[in-house]
C-alpha cells in the first residue's frame, strides 16, 4: 500500500457547515412549530437567466447534429468565450490578449490548482478571516503560511507589512466572508509590495460584479504593474448563478515571469498552459456557450438584475445593523454582511442565541479563521420576504 500524503493530517476538519446543520436540525426537532430562516446560504438561489438557458438549449441541439457536433475542445477555452471575457475586461479599461485568459470549471479549482506552479519552499501570505480553500490547498502542498490579520481596526482589509516577506499572496476582494473591498490606493500598495518582494498576487475576484461603488476597482489589472505580478481568478458562479453549471476564468498575464532557485526564468502563462493541457480537458462546449451568453447585452442585463435582487436583501440587512448600531462590513459591494456579535458573545454563542430566540441561521465567523471568533456572517441569498422577516426577528431580540 502506498504511503499517503501526511499533510492531510494537518487539515482542520471542515466542521463548520456540518456543525451548523447539526445544530439547526436539533433545534427543528425540539421546536417543530417554529419556522427557520436561513441567512447562512453561501450559494445563489435565483435560476439561470433566460438568455443563458436559450444558449444551453441551442448548444445542446448543435451537439446532436453531425455537422455541428464538437468533441474535445481547446483546453484553454473556445475563442468565442475568451473574446467575450476580453471585452468584459475592456469595460474596466483592462487590455488583455485572449491567450492570457484560461476558461475553467470554476475559481475554486483554479485557486487550488495554481499551487502546482510554485515551489514548496515559497512562503504564502493569507488573510484571516478568508475563504478556506487557500489555506487547505497550501497545507496539502506543505507550504509555509503566514497570516495577515483582518480586524475591525483595518476594516478587515489587511495591508502589507514590509517587515514580513512573502512569495505568494492571496487577496480576495470583495471578500468572502467580510464583504470588504480594497480601493485603488490599497491595491497600489499591494502591487508595490509584490513587485518589491518578487512575489505573485493570487487575486480572487469572484464577487467583482457585486461592486456598486463606482470608484472601486473590479480587477487588479486596473493597477499599473499588476500585469507583472498578479494572477486573477473570476467565476460566473455568483455573477450569473453558475454554481451548479460550472464556469470560471483565470487571467495569467504573459508579462509575469517566475524564477527557479538558480535564477532561470519561466513564463507563468506558459506554465499554467502546460499544467492545464496536462491535467484538464476543458469546459463542456454547451457550458461555454452559456457562459458567452452571460456576456451578451441581454445576458449582462439579466445578471445585473439578479445581483440587484440580492443587493436589495443585503441593504435590508445592512440597514438593520445601522439602526441597531452594530459594527459591520460588507453589504454594499458584496452579498455578505459581516458583523460584530452583540452582547460580547463569541460567534458560536451568538449562533445559538440567534437560532433559539429568532429561528434565524447564519454562519459563525470562527469558521473563517481566528479573527472571526467574535464576528458573524449573514448572506443576501435568501428571498426578500424571508430576509425582511429575519431582520424583524433580529431587531426584536436585539432590542432591550
Ligand atoms: C463562491 C466563491 C468562488 C467561486 O468558486 P467556483 O468554484 O467558481 O464556484 C471563488 N472564490 C470565493 C471567495 C467564493 O466565495
Amino acid at each position: 500500500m502506498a504511503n499517503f500524503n501526511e499533510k492531510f493530517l494537518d487539515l482542520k476538519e471542515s466542521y463548520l457547515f456540518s456543525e451548523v446543520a447539526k445544530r439547526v436540525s436539533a433545534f427543528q426537532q425540539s421546536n417543530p412549530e417554529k419556522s427557520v430562516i436561513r441567512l447562512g446560504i453561501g450559494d445563489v438561489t435565483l435560476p439561470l437567466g433566460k438568455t443563458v438557458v436559450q444558449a444551453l438549449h441551442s448548444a445542446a441541439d448543435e451537439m446532436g447534429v453531425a455537422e455541428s457536433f464538437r468533441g474535445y475542445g481547446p483546453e484553454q477555452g473556445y475563442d468565442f468565450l475568451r473574446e467575450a471575457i476580453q471585452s468584459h475586461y475592456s469595460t474596466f479599461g483592462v487590455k488583455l490578449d485572449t491567450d492570457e485568459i484560461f476558461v475553467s470549471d470554476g475559481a475554486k479549482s483554479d485557486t487550488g490548482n495554481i499551487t502546482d506552479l510554485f515551489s514548496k519552499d515559497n512562503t504564502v501570505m493569507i488573510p484571516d478571516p478568508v475563504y478556506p480553500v487557500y489555506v487547505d490547498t497550501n497545507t496539502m502542498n506543505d507550504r509555509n503560511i503566514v497570516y495577515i490579520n483582518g480586524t475591525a481596526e483595518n476594516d478587515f482589509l489587511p495591508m502589507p507589512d514590509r517587515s514580513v516577506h512573502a512569495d505568494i499572496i492571496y487577496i480576495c476582494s470583495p471578500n468572502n466572508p467580510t464583504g470588504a473591498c480594497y480601493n485603488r490606493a490599497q491595491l497600489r500598495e499591494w502591487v508595490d509590495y509584490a513587485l518589491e518582494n518578487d512575489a505573485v498576487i493570487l487575486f480572487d475576484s469572484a464577487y467583482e460584479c457585486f461592486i456598486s461603488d463606482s470608484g472601486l476597482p473590479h480587477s487588479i489589472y486596473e493597477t499599473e504593474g499588476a500585469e507583472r505580478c498578479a494572477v486573477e481568478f473570476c467565476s460566473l458562479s455568483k455573477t450569473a448563478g453558475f454554481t451548479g453549471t460550472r464556469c470560471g476564468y483565470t487571467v495569467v498575464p504573459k508579462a509575469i515571469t517566475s524564477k527557479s532557485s538558480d535564477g532561470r526564468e519561466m513564463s507563468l502563462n506558459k506554465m499554467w498552459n502546460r499544467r492545464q493541457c496536462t491535467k484538464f480537458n476543458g469546459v463542456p462546449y454547451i457550458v461555454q456557450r452559456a457562459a458567452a451568453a452571460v456576456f451578451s447585452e441581454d445576458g449582462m442585463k439579466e445578471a445585473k438584475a439578479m445581483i440587484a435582487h440580492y443587493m436589495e436583501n443585503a441593504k435590508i440587512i445592512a440597514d438593520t445593523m445601522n439602526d441597531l448600531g452594530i459594527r459591520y462590513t460588507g453589504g454594499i459591494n458584496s452579498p455578505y454582511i459581516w458583523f460584530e456579535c452583540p452582547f460580547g458573545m463569541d460567534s458560536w454563542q451568538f449562533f445559538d442565541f440567534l437560532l433559539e430566540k429568532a429561528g434565524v441561521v447564519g454562519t459563525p465567523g470562527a469558521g473563517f479563521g481566528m479573527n472571526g471568533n467574535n464576528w458573524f456572517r449573514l448572506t443576501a441569498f435568501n428571498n426578500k420576504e424571508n430576509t425582511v422577516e429575519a431582520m424583524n426577528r433580529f431587531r426584536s431580540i436585539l432590542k432591550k
Side-chain angles (χ1 to χ4, degrees):
M1 186 64 178
N3 292 333
F4 66 90
N5 174 356
E6 289 175 26
K7 290 293 141 191
F8 277 66
L9 296 173
D10 296 343
L11 297 173
K12 294 217 182 65
E13 271 315 310
S14 67
Y15 112 123
L16 176 66
F17 291 100
S18 60
E19 182 63 24
V20 165
K22 205 170 89 191
R23 293 192 192 197
V24 173
S25 102
F27 173 79
Q28 281 190 306
Q29 241 154 39
S30 37
N31 302 275
E33 75 295 346
K34 292 215 172 117
S35 78
V36 168
I37 302 178
R38 291 165 200 273
L39 295 188
I41 308 172
D43 193 356
V44 294
T45 49
L46 291 175
L48 294 174
K50 241 180 29 210
T51 306
V52 169
V53 173
Q54 270 163 10
L56 283 168
H57 279 298
S58 55
D61 288 340
E62 283 181 63
M63 292 295 278
V65 178
E67 289 69 35
S68 51
F69 168 77
R70 314 255 184 153
Y72 288 125
E75 290 89 345
Q76 307 80 0
Y78 284 103
D79 283 342
F80 65 80
L81 179 54
R82 297 171 100 188
E83 283 159 15
I85 295 165
Q86 181 187 46
S87 15
H88 179 65
Y89 269 99
S90 69
T91 65
F92 336 128
V94 171
K95 261 191 76 192
L96 298 174
D97 290 340
T98 51
D99 60 358
E100 296 178 303
I101 300 165
F102 295 83
V103 174
S104 76
D105 64 346
K108 188 197 236 184
S109 339
D110 284 6
T111 50
N113 292 336
I114 196 86
T115 57
D116 275 6
L117 310 194
F118 302 106
S119 155
K120 296 216 186 311
D121 302 331
N122 285 319
T123 295
V124 187
M125 183 176 271
I126 301 182
D128 171 330
V130 89
Y131 187 56
V133 175
Y134 319 146
V135 172
D136 287 355
T137 51
N138 281 291
T139 302
M140 288 174 187
N141 280 322
D142 196 12
R143 269 191 206 92
N144 178 37
I145 298 174
V146 294
Y147 291 94
I148 43 173
N149 295 312
T151 60
E153 286 61 48
N154 59 26
D155 297 318
F156 290 94
L157 294 168
M159 296 305 299
D161 172 353
R162 287 192 154 69
S163 66
V164 179
H165 168 81
D167 303 295
I168 299 171
I169 304 149
Y170 282 86
I171 299 178
C172 177
S173 177
N175 188 273
N176 178 9
T178 69
C181 183
Y182 283 107
N183 65 28
R184 287 176 198 282
Q186 290 167 324
L187 289 187
R188 172 80 267 151
E189 254 191 78
W190 273 114
V191 168
D192 287 342
Y193 171 85
L195 292 170
E196 284 160 27
N197 281 274
D198 247 333
V200 62
I201 293 174
L202 303 177
F203 192 79
D204 186 340
S205 70
Y207 297 93
E208 165 265 305
C209 276
F210 287 79
I211 295 176
S212 62
D213 211 324
S214 60
L216 293 174
H218 286 246
S219 165
I220 185 110
Y221 304 117
E222 292 177 58
T223 310
E224 201 278 314
E227 69 286 352
R228 284 178 284 127
C229 65
V231 171
E232 183 163 286
F233 304 89
C234 203
S235 167
L236 295 180
S237 283
K238 317 299 166 23
T239 301
F242 271 56
T243 51
T245 306
R246 311 300 310 142
C247 194
Y249 47 95
T250 291
V251 176
V252 189
K254 287 181 283 192
I256 312 185
T257 53
S258 181
K259 287 199 187 89
S260 65
S261 52
D262 60 4
R264 285 171 296 170
E265 286 198 347
M266 278 273 252
S267 146
L268 272 199
N269 176 284
K270 284 195 178 138
M271 287 177 74
W272 182 244
N273 189 48
R274 186 72 167 84
R275 189 264 169 223
Q276 290 298 79
C277 291
T278 304
K279 297 195 186 179
F280 182 62
N281 247 336
V283 175
Y285 172 70
I286 298 172
V287 171
Q288 293 195 55
R289 279 293 177 198
V294 173
F295 295 105
S296 68
E297 207 180 315
D298 287 345
M300 248 316 134
K301 258 192 223 150
E302 289 162 9
K304 292 210 163 117
M306 288 186 216
I307 290 167
H309 165 90
Y310 295 134
M311 291 316 289
E312 199 185 338
N313 295 338
K315 184 170 185 319
I316 293 165
I317 302 172
D319 286 348
T320 308
M321 300 301 152
N322 286 330
D323 291 349
L324 295 169
I326 295 173
R327 263 211 291 200
Y328 72 98
T329 54
I332 300 166
N333 302 295
S334 136
Y336 299 121
I337 290 87
W338 174 255
F339 63 91
E340 190 169 31
C341 298
F343 312 123
M345 289 182 184
D346 74 32
S347 64
W348 281 107
Q349 286 170 329
F350 187 72
F351 175 89
D352 290 334
F353 173 77
L354 188 61
L355 178 61
E356 280 157 26
K357 302 280 187 240
V360 173
V361 182
T363 312
F368 301 100
M370 175 188 90
N371 290 309
N373 274 340
N374 296 91
W375 291 72
F376 205 79
R377 191 189 76 174
L378 293 179
T379 80
F381 292 125
N382 210 313
N383 62 36
K384 184 175 174 184
E385 189 190 349
N386 285 341
T387 306
V388 168
E389 171 60 18
M391 287 302 103
N392 286 340
R393 296 184 194 175
F394 193 95
R395 283 172 200 267
S396 71
I397 63 161
L398 267 283
K399 274 196 206 123
K400 289 257 156 64

